[in-house]
Amino acid sequence: MGEAETPRVTIHEVARRAGVSHQTVSRYFRHNEGLKPETRRKIDLVVQELNYRPNLVARSMRTRRTNRLAITLPASTYLWPVRLLGAASAAAHAEGFQLEVVSMEGGPRDRAERILELAGSGQVEGILSLTPLEIDPGASPVPIVVTGDYDDNLRGVNELADASPIREIIQHLASLGHRVFFHIAGTQTFASARNRKLLYEQTIRHHGLTSYGIALGDWSPQSGYDAVRGLPEGSGVTAIVAANDHVAMGAVRGALSRGWRVPGDVSVFGWDDEELGRFATPSLSTVAVDREVQGREAMAKLIAEVRGEPVPPSPSRSINRVIVRETVGPPPHACGEQPV
């Protein structure tokens, strides 16, 4: 005869052993912070002793709650905002939610239809879309928050396309004595690249500085390397403003391959504050983009919508911050030397 199956431990058994009501145990598993520390300790001990796990299926059927949220991204891109997703996921977990990342085929209208299907499936309690949608929020049975921080190819728009640090970068370099600049731009289909190029040109003109030119790159280190290698001797360039850290690191390598010192002969600025740039030699001057804050704030807004609570206001501050490291210094003529 087969061995008898061990009966499943119930929430009522946990409550009996802990000396509390089953409602209190239910609050414990909903991450309720209102429980007294001693009560939480007693439930902790019983849960560990019995190796109890709540029946999430039964709970969702009873409460119509799944404690699951979704972030949707277009499927037609290889670019994933990893830091933003990590921060959003951590924020969701801290509030007792599980998070799914769902890729959606098609354009804004097609994705809207699929998102409405997901919203009506009963699988999630709320959806966060990082890209624009052609959708009527009232048509969804669950909250849908659209940040619109990326376009259909996950290229930054809105605050992520803010180019204002370019102005601060050029002003700082000019204060050190730099007068001839060179910009290695990103792919011009990106709003962020177009905005940085435009503000670079405007700032150079406004301060009466000289731009040797603009090289149209493709965000790669190779484009930075090739642009610097292509500068003629005697160009007078002492300051290079690159589209991102990858381009900037290529530019540094191109300068060093020509026997130019960084920053002794040329100074280089990047953008994104990639971890590798912090540990490069010399360490890379850059613009830090706080995508973690962006992810946490977007998730906090969605969770507030799900719970029917007031949406927390976003702080009035930029997510971009200029960081000066070892690739920036005075130009050679400020030290009595001749520019390259």
Side-chain angles (χ1 to χ4, degrees):
M1 182 176 291
E3 190 174 314
E5 184 176 338
T6 303
R8 179 181 177 86
V9 178
T10 68
I11 192 171
H12 295 278
E13 176 65 12
V14 174
R16 186 185 66 79
R17 294 205 188 191
V20 299
S21 68
H22 72 272
Q23 292 93 339
T24 299
V25 178
S26 180
R27 288 171 58 198
Y28 168 90
F29 281 107
R30 290 201 306 270
H31 302 268
N32 190 300
E33 299 298 331
L35 297 178
K36 296 178 181 178
E38 178 60 20
T39 300
R40 295 186 66 85
R41 189 188 67 80
K42 289 193 294 186
I43 299 175
D44 278 339
L45 291 174
V46 175
V47 167
Q48 293 173 21
E49 177 187 346
L50 299 179
N51 193 29
Y52 175 74
R53 296 291 183 272
N55 188 333
L56 297 179
V57 173
R59 179 197 291 176
S60 65
M61 292 176 64
R62 182 176 65 255
T63 63
R64 297 185 179 180
R65 298 284 305 277
T66 65
N67 283 349
R68 301 181 77 84
L69 305 173
I71 289 183
T72 63
L73 301 170
S76 59
T77 180
Y78 64 91
L79 296 172
W80 283 58
V82 177
R83 286 165 49 194
L84 183 152
L85 291 174
S89 178
H93 292 163
E95 294 296 327
F97 290 92
Q98 296 298 314
L99 186 65
E100 295 182 6
V101 178
V102 183
S103 60
M104 296 281 181
E105 299 282 351
R109 184 171 298 177
D110 293 329
R111 290 201 307 275
E113 293 178 2
R114 289 168 174 77
I115 285 174
L116 285 176
E117 291 175 4
L118 176 62
S121 69
Q123 299 177 42
V124 297
E125 295 185 49
I127 299 171
L128 173 65
S129 175
L130 301 183
T131 56
L133 294 175
E134 295 180 12
I135 197 166
D136 175 12
S140 172
V142 301
I144 296 177
V145 171
V146 181
T147 68
D149 289 316
Y150 296 88
D151 68 9
D152 287 351
N153 294 306
L154 284 184
R155 298 175 294 201
V157 295
N158 299 338
E159 192 173 12
L160 283 180
D162 174 25
S164 58
I166 287 287
R167 184 182 296 111
E168 183 179 346
I169 288 170
I170 293 175
Q171 289 172 343
H172 177 74
L173 290 166
S175 73
L176 295 175
H178 293 277
R179 294 295 178 266
V180 182
F181 290 72
F182 183 53
H183 179 43
I184 310 173
T187 307
Q188 293 299 291
T189 54
F190 285 66
S192 56
R194 294 195 303 272
N195 292 349
R196 292 170 201 172
K197 175 177 175 289
L198 178 62
L199 192 56
Y200 165 84
E201 294 171 322
Q202 291 175 345
T203 306
I204 291 292
R205 286 196 300 269
H206 177 77
H207 290 284
L209 302 168
T210 299
S211 173
Y212 181 80
I214 297 174
L216 298 180
D218 59 5
W219 305 112
S220 71
Q222 187 68 51
S223 67
Y225 179 86
D226 291 342
V228 172
R229 290 288 302 179
L231 286 172
E233 292 291 343
S235 67
V237 170
T238 63
I240 298 171
V241 180
N244 67 4
D245 287 351
H246 292 175
V247 175
M249 285 189 275
V252 170
R253 176 53 54 192
L256 295 176
S257 73
R258 299 187 64 164
W260 299 350
R261 298 165 301 166
V262 179
D265 294 313
V266 290
S267 290
V268 180
F269 248 106
W271 194 296
D272 279 337
D273 194 23
E274 297 282 358
E275 185 174 19
L276 188 61
R278 303 174 205 169
F279 294 94
T281 302
S283 59
L284 191 61
S285 299
T286 187
V287 177
V289 183
D290 200 338
R291 289 184 171 84
E292 288 79 6
V293 165
Q294 184 194 21
R296 287 193 295 269
E297 290 182 355
M299 186 52 61
K301 182 177 181 181
L302 177 60
I303 291 173
E305 294 272 6
V306 167
R307 292 174 172 170
E309 299 172 349
V311 175
S314 298
S316 56
R317 52 93 189 95
S318 172
I319 62 172
N320 297 325
R321 178 169 54 92
V322 174
I323 299 176
V324 179
R325 295 197 180 106
E326 295 171 347
T327 56
V328 166
H333 54 79
C335 306
E337 304 176 33
Q338 291 299 311
V340 295

